[in-house]
Amino acid sequence: MRKKAKFNWSIWLIFLFFIIVSFVMLLPLYYLILGSFRNSKDLFRFGMDLVIRPELMSLDNYKYILFGDGKIYLHWYKNSVLITFLFTISSLFFSAMVGYALGVYNFKGKNFVFVLVLFVMMIPLEILMLPLYRLTVRFKIINTYSGVILPFMVSPLAIFFFRQYASGLGKDFMAAGRIDGCTEFGLYFKIMVPLMKPAFGAMTILLAMQSWNSFVWPLIVLRTNQKFTLPIGLSSLMTPYGNNYDMLIAGAVLAIIPIVIVFLFNQRSFIAGLSAGGIKG
Amino acid sequence: MPKGSLGIKSFLYSQTVAPYIFILPFLLSFLIFFLYPTINTVYMSFHEVYGMGNMNFIGLSNYQRLFNQNFYDAIRTNTLYTFFLIIILIPLAILFATLLNIKYLRGRNFFKSVLFIPALTSIIVAGVAFRLLFGESEAAFMNSILIRLGFPAQRWAFSHSTGMLLMVSLATWKMVGIYMVYFISGLQAIPEELYESAEIDGANSISKFTRITLPLLKPIVIYALTIIIFDGYRMFGESYVFWNEGMPGNIGLTIVRYIYQQAFQRNDMGFGSAIGIVLLTIVLTINLIQLRFFGAFKKEE
């Protein structure tokens, strides 16, 4: 009896510990949301405590970016949505193909190609910024969606993930498809792609998040305000004097809302997708 | 075999040709967006680059210019940042994972989600939140706590130590959930019987943790170390959100920011490339040493 009572006691302590941890983890987001309803000039000058004070709160910041002079924000939002959509679709299409071929076929040079994929994963892409920038200028895709999307469209991480997944699929399906007279490409699109659906789910989330939050490369390629994505646009508002904080804070809140909503409905595949890098060998 | 031996048809049915068609996107992307730029970086690092076209061979001059205080400051920032992330992030993630793996714990799925949510935010959004929390005014949240505890308010972004604190706490907040998930999947791979037989031998929770859990988590620890080092030395956003315009006394100057500054703000692509090559060398060397040191190259026993 005594032992059991002691046991529950420690579980309660752990529970309490995580309540405090949760509070700390949610605090920055709570602070951000609270700040988005406050007058930004006062906020910057006087700071803010954690208390909800309805008398100081208003929807002015949101009205400003949605209907007022801050309308450029909607441009950024549109750019982010389109780039994320186009990037995710094209990256899934091409990366899945490559991963599938590496997973199910035996062909000359297969191991060499796979080593190249791993090699690209191990190089910090920041060292390629400068030549890639010059390349986009030469190809005349600087300051365009294509300039943001094309260089990183074929994703080594997604190839790796699809390869692991495809190599675990039974070869019987392929044999059966061939007997039914499928071409190798019909086989892939009609039979194998549907079988890889869970892998597509996890990678959709990984790639879409990567694109939605991507920062360094778009910062270099996108040169004009009209073409900015959300992270680039918001970062352009981060001035030391806080004169744009009305747009910045409310804009930051609106930028995370779609992701949090999708996350709440697909937590399992989200966690699988975002930690996909962890599934090695 | 299908009827009709038209070229196109045998092509579509050929199991020898198909894989090469499938991997074509990778090969093209590799050649254009990886191999060519890599060679180009090496090439540019030995040249003085004027505008888009003209280059002038200057041997090792760009590399010689690396011996300067700014570059040392940048390396120092990245090294300290990486070091702090290693000693904070890994133990914290293991702690969270171990405790959240206790089956009797109520609400553990809720806690997992909460810990994971910061990973969804972009570095900019996270940065805005942290700039608010660590605002300079006395009423900003962190300062108000300091004052209540009897300390003076801080201008967080204006000293090296508090600047480092800003970047490390932002990165920890954002990433601890992902590392926790790595460790949870590692814990779930440990067979239950090991713990049961240890209990029969009279082991308590702490010795079970140090004798069974930790050794079996080693591969995940090595993986986490590799990723933290890789990300730590290429860090950019965590610094950019706090010092996007000026950096007093090089606070927050990192290697990639130094590349950005030299190449895009000073238009010195050759020098920027030389910094990039050094960055590459640092990351590969540290990771190789680290992998060898922890015996990851040994055959699995």
Side-chain angles (χ1 to χ4, degrees), chain B:
Chain B
M1 278 302 277
K3 279 182 199 167
S5 53
L6 286 165
I8 182 87
K9 209 147 201 192
S10 62
F11 174 79
L12 287 174
Y13 283 96
S14 164
Q15 288 180 45
T16 347
V17 178
Y20 293 104
I21 306 285
F22 282 126
I23 62 164
L24 202 61
F26 173 74
L27 291 182
L28 287 177
S29 166
F30 179 82
L31 291 176
I32 302 171
F33 297 118
F34 189 84
L35 191 62
Y36 170 73
T38 307
I39 295 169
N40 206 227
T41 306
V42 178
Y43 184 81
M44 281 200 295
S45 74
F46 294 109
H47 287 76
E48 199 171 3
V49 184
Y50 305 104
M52 286 309 294
N54 301 331
M55 294 199 197
N56 186 14
F57 182 78
I58 50 167
L60 287 171
S61 292
N62 284 329
Y63 290 94
Q64 278 159 359
R65 283 173 60 203
L66 286 172
F67 297 96
N68 74 70
Q69 193 57 41
N70 293 330
F71 190 55
Y72 298 152
D73 285 344
I75 290 185
R76 186 170 161 271
T77 311
N78 281 109
T79 307
L80 282 174
Y81 171 83
T82 308
F83 171 75
F84 284 124
L85 277 191
I86 290 171
I87 61 168
I88 294 170
L89 207 47
I90 293 181
L92 208 56
I94 293 180
L95 176 75
F96 290 157
T98 315
L99 293 180
L100 286 177
N101 210 31
I102 299 172
K103 287 184 186 63
Y104 320 101
L105 184 69
R106 274 181 171 205
R108 58 196 193 118
N109 285 328
F110 171 77
F111 293 135
K112 274 183 217 170
S113 309
V114 168
L115 282 162
F116 199 79
I117 280 180
L120 309 176
T121 61
S122 81
I123 186 64
I124 298 302
V125 171
V128 176
F130 271 68
R131 275 172 84 131
L132 277 181
L133 278 174
F134 289 88
E136 279 177 37
S137 80
E138 298 199 343
F141 182 72
M142 291 312 282
N143 272 341
S144 72
I145 288 183
L146 279 187
I147 288 167
R148 204 164 297 171
L149 295 174
F151 296 100
Q154 294 288 323
R155 296 178 76 198
W156 302 93
F158 287 86
S159 95
H160 281 278
S161 52
T162 51
M164 184 56 67
L165 179 82
L166 289 178
M167 292 187 282
V168 171
S169 50
L170 173 59
T172 306
W173 177 75
K174 207 166 131 43
M175 293 193 298
V176 73
I178 289 190
Y179 287 93
M180 173 195 73
V181 171
Y182 294 158
F183 285 113
I184 287 179
S185 62
L187 288 173
Q188 282 164 352
I190 299 175
E192 201 61 40
E193 299 89 67
L194 279 178
Y195 292 108
E196 283 162 14
S197 53
E199 262 165 47
I200 294 169
D201 293 342
N204 61 21
S205 325
I206 291 171
S207 64
K208 271 190 288 182
F209 180 75
T210 52
R211 298 281 178 80
I212 301 174
T213 312
L214 277 186
L216 288 174
L217 281 184
K218 198 176 124 187
I220 318 262
V221 172
I222 291 172
Y223 176 71
L225 266 176
T226 313
I227 303 282
I228 293 177
I229 292 173
F230 189 76
D231 285 345
Y233 275 94
R234 62 197 275 223
M235 185 266 273
F236 179 84
E238 281 81 354
S239 145
Y240 194 88
V241 294
F242 292 114
W243 303 274
N244 56 329
E245 296 192 332
M247 288 178 286
N250 284 343
I251 300 172
L253 180 68
T254 69
I255 301 174
V256 176
R257 287 210 67 177
Y258 196 44
I259 299 180
Y260 183 78
Q261 196 185 73
Q262 295 301 319
F264 292 108
Q265 290 164 341
R266 308 244 166 98
N267 218 358
D268 195 345
M269 292 257 172
F271 186 45
S273 301
I275 310 170
I277 298 293
V278 175
L279 170 65
L280 177 67
T281 317
I282 293 175
V283 171
L284 291 183
T285 314
I286 295 185
N287 269 332
L288 281 179
I289 294 172
Q290 189 260 115
L291 289 173
R292 168 150 291 178
F293 181 67
F294 283 95
F297 286 147
K298 281 185 215 147
K299 289 257 185 296
E300 284 296 316
E301 47 279 57

Side-chain angles (χ1 to χ4, degrees), chain A residues 165-187:
Chain A
Y165 198 88
S167 59
L169 294 173
K171 298 267 189 287
D172 328 356
F173 294 107
M174 299 183 72
R178 285 185 185 123
I179 291 168
D180 286 349
C182 272
T183 64
E184 289 303 305
F185 305 95
L187 190 67

